[in-house]
């Protein structure tokens, strides 16, 4: 069963959707955060959102604050990291979203 995520930041996600899929996280919505409306409004998360991922190197402070507040109101955890696979992997592990399917540590555990 996959988790639904809202990803905020960056125009393009590159290989991030594949990494998230390995962690059973599906991108429900991607918001670049560059539109002027995102800068000023109070944002509501789509229903069913289970995690908010903030790509901090492509996101302004006001947009980040707005989405953190929306996640807090909805009781949804926030993962914040840079837009790189290594940073995303580290943030997911630190937040308890487990090891991906291709992880050597997981494969070794299954073989034992």
């Amino acid at each position: 069963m996959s988790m639904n995520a809202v990803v905020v930041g960056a125009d393009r996600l590159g290989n991030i959707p594949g990494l998230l899929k390995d962690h059973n996280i599906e991108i429900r919505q991607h918001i670049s955060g560059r539109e002027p409306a995102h800068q000023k409004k109070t944002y509501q998360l789509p229903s069913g959102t289970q995690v908010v991922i903030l790509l901090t190197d492509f996101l302004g402070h006001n947009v980040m604050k707005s989405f953190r507040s929306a996640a807090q109101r909805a009781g949804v955890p926030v993962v914040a990291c840079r837009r790189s696979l290594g940073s995303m992997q580290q943030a997911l592990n630190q937040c308890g979203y487990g090891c991906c399917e291709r992880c050597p540590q997981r494969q070794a555990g299954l073989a034992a």
Side-chain angles (χ1 to χ4, degrees), residues 12 17 22 29 38 45-46 51 55 62 86 93 97 101-102 104:
R12 291 180 293 263
D22 288 344
Q29 186 175 13
H38 294 150
L45 298 175
V51 63
L55 303 176
N62 291 335
N93 289 338
Y97 289 102
E101 297 294 327
R102 292 181 285 199

Side-chain angles (χ1 to χ4, degrees), residues 35-91:
E35 295 179 27
H38 294 150
Q39 301 288 329
K40 298 177 180 152
K41 76 177 195 174
T42 302
Y43 201 80
Q44 295 295 323
L45 298 175
S47 63
T49 300
Q50 297 169 294
V51 63
V52 174
I53 300 171
L54 302 174
L55 303 176
T56 59
D57 50 347
F58 290 93
L59 198 56
H61 291 282
N62 291 335
V63 177
M64 194 177 320
K65 183 178 177 182
S66 176
F67 279 94
R68 279 189 185 273
S69 295
Q72 185 176 20
R73 284 191 306 275
V76 173
V78 175
V79 175
C81 61
R82 293 186 326 267
R83 194 201 85 165
S84 73
L85 290 180
S87 180
M88 176 71 69
Q89 180 72 51
Q90 183 178 15

Side-chain angles (χ1 to χ4, degrees), residues 19-39:
L19 176 65
L20 293 176
K21 186 176 180 181
D22 288 344
H23 286 269
N24 293 319
I25 299 173
E26 181 181 325
I27 298 174
R28 181 179 196 124
Q29 186 175 13
H30 171 232
I31 301 162
S32 70
R34 291 167 58 103
E35 295 179 27
H38 294 150
Q39 301 288 329

